Every structure is written in structure tokens, then in C-alpha cells.
Amino acid sequence: MRKILLFAAVAVTLTVSFGRSHAAEAKAQRLCPVTGTALSGVASPVRARVDGFTFLVADEASRQQAEADGAAVFAALARNGDAAEPVSEACPIMGNRINRQLFLEKNGRRVFMCCKGCTKRLQNNWDKAVDTLRDQAETGDPETLPEM
């Protein structure tokens, strides 16, 4: 009887966790910033990358258009209530591994940080942080990030 109860508890836990991850993913981006198409209705969305940030688009033609006009894409993401996420896993302020629970969104970009202490510094240095993320994406993250 204990084995059955344990199995049922694990099954419920996995179902709840799975549901949360999809909800978080759907919240991150709902619409293609190029076509305005709901991504939930697209069979195979395509990942695009502009200025060190990544986001989804409806198809390959949309990816090419997005990569040609990044400013319009970030404006569309912000207008839609969506945000692109940085390619880098390093905090643009301290360089430590990011905490995906701590982020700020602005101008169609979501920037993660390592700790709450970086919040004010990120707010005051937004453009510099975005430039740092762009540089990290071009050159690659530091080879070894400290453990959190």
C-alpha cells in the first residue's frame, strides 16, 4: 500500500511541476514579434537571435526578417507584453551564474541577475548591462562560473 501511495505522490508532483514549466514558457513569449501570430498555434516555432538575446518567431522567413531589423523586433516584443531573453547565463553586473527567478524587463528584453543586490545596479545601468550581454554572446561566457 505504501508503494502505491508513494507512486501516486510522485506522479502528482511531476504533473504539477510539468504544468508550471509550460505556463512559465508561455508567459515568456506569446506572439511572434514579426507576424503577430500566436506561437501556441505554430507547430514548430523557430528560435532567432539578435544582439545577444533570443526569442521565438513563427517561421524561417520571420527569423530572417527579425535578424535584419532587431530594433523593430524588440519594440514589437515590448508592445505584445513579451520579452527576449539573453543568450548568456552570466549576470551582466557581477558575472556570476544567473538566478532565473530574478530579472527585470524593459524595452522587450528580460535581463536576469545573480542576486537581489544587482537589482538597483541593473536599473541604473540598463544600457551598459545590455551591451555586456551582447558582448558575452559574441565572445562566449566565462569558461567557469562560480557555483550559486
Side-chain angles (χ1 to χ4, degrees):
M1 182 69 170
R2 285 184 184 165
K3 288 181 183 180
I4 293 172
L5 290 175
L6 179 63
F7 177 75
V10 170
V12 169
T13 302
L14 290 175
T15 303
V16 170
S17 298
F18 182 73
R20 282 188 193 141
S21 68
H22 281 296
E25 224 175 313
K27 184 181 182 228
Q29 188 180 348
R30 300 172 300 112
L31 303 173
C32 171
V34 176
T35 64
T37 305
L39 292 171
S40 60
V42 176
S44 298
V46 176
R47 186 157 301 282
R49 183 174 160 176
V50 174
D51 292 335
F53 286 81
T54 184
F55 50 91
L56 297 173
V57 293
D59 53 31
E60 183 60 29
S62 296
R63 184 191 64 77
Q64 291 174 1
Q65 189 174 344
E67 290 176 353
D69 190 3
V73 167
F74 292 121
L77 285 165
R79 195 172 45 252
N80 296 338
D82 292 331
E85 294 191 355
V87 173
S88 174
E89 291 290 318
C91 174
I93 304 299
M94 300 289 291
N96 297 327
R97 187 171 308 282
I98 59 170
N99 177 344
R100 291 213 165 256
Q101 304 302 313
L102 299 172
F103 61 88
L104 294 175
E105 287 184 10
K106 184 177 177 182
N107 302 331
R109 293 172 175 90
R110 176 176 293 142
V111 175
F112 297 94
M113 56 203 119
C114 61
C115 63
K116 289 182 181 180
C118 288
T119 304
K120 188 168 184 125
R121 290 175 67 192
L122 178 57
Q123 289 170 333
N124 294 336
N125 299 295
W126 181 264
D127 292 335
K128 185 176 180 184
V130 169
D131 289 343
T132 298
L133 291 169
R134 182 182 308 115
D135 293 344
Q136 287 173 349
E138 289 174 7
T139 61
D141 282 344
E143 287 185 31
T144 332
L145 290 172
E147 291 294 322
M148 290 297 283

